[in-house]
Amino acid sequence: MTHPHLPSTQAAVTAVRALAEEFRLEITVTDDIGADQTSRRTSSGAFGVLDEDGSLPHEAYIELGGSPSLSLRLYPEDDARITVDGVEFADVPRDAVPGFVRAVHTGLAHVKGRFFPPGQWLIVPVPGGETYKELIPMMALTPWLSSRFR
């Protein structure tokens, strides 16, 4: 199964809203629209207000309630930063966001520990797509992360 292309930040927000409803999670969305509102600008020129395609850049910050804590920052440049219980995944493609959220809330996401190199990793396999892995910061094992060991 491949990911549907999410042509905009708004399409990704809509997809995450549907998942929040499906998993009965509280959701808070903050939208930043316009070059003066977004946190990073690579799509338009130095003093440009519109992106190259003539649209206003749109960035969104989403927080989902429940366990684990999950926050997403969707950027106009087709990528996202997702934080799961304090573990940050940078540069997740926007198209992978719904699958990532689903993987976390359906039990696919898990933690693996290694002796060498030492550390614990949060692994999020997105159905039909990539597998994302991030090192869990030392002493940052939350109850949710601890319950996901394999």
Side-chain angles (χ1 to χ4, degrees):
M1 175 182 122
T2 58
H3 302 291
H5 177 63
L6 299 173
S8 67
T9 297
Q10 190 56 50
V13 169
T14 301
V16 173
R17 279 187 194 280
L19 287 166
E21 191 174 311
E22 178 182 337
F23 294 115
R24 293 183 171 88
L25 302 171
E26 205 173 294
I27 184 170
T28 306
V29 178
T30 306
D31 292 293
D32 296 316
I33 299 174
D36 59 335
Q37 299 292 313
T38 57
S39 65
R40 63 182 199 204
R41 301 294 305 127
T42 57
S43 300
S44 67
F47 297 102
V49 175
L50 302 177
D51 282 343
E52 290 170 2
D53 63 0
S55 66
L56 280 171
H58 178 191
E59 183 174 301
Y61 180 74
I62 303 171
E63 286 183 295
L64 293 173
S67 181
S69 68
L70 191 62
S71 66
L72 307 93
R73 174 147 323 262
L74 303 169
Y75 296 104
E77 289 85 8
D78 296 340
D79 68 326
R81 182 178 59 219
I82 303 174
T83 305
V84 182
D85 257 12
V87 180
E88 187 175 295
F89 293 81
D91 302 319
V92 175
R94 182 170 57 210
D95 289 352
V97 167
F100 191 105
V101 172
R102 180 174 294 286
V104 167
H105 283 286
T106 58
L108 289 175
H110 59 280
V111 173
K112 269 201 162 120
R114 292 181 36 197
F115 287 108
F116 196 83
Q120 284 121 11
W121 297 81
L122 177 56
I123 300 166
V124 182
V126 175
E130 296 283 321
T131 295
Y132 299 91
K133 298 193 309 195
E134 282 299 329
L135 186 63
I136 299 169
M138 289 292 280
M139 310 305 286
L141 271 182
T142 64
W144 184 85
L145 288 168
S146 295
S147 73
R148 296 290 174 257
F149 263 100
R150 282 198 187 157

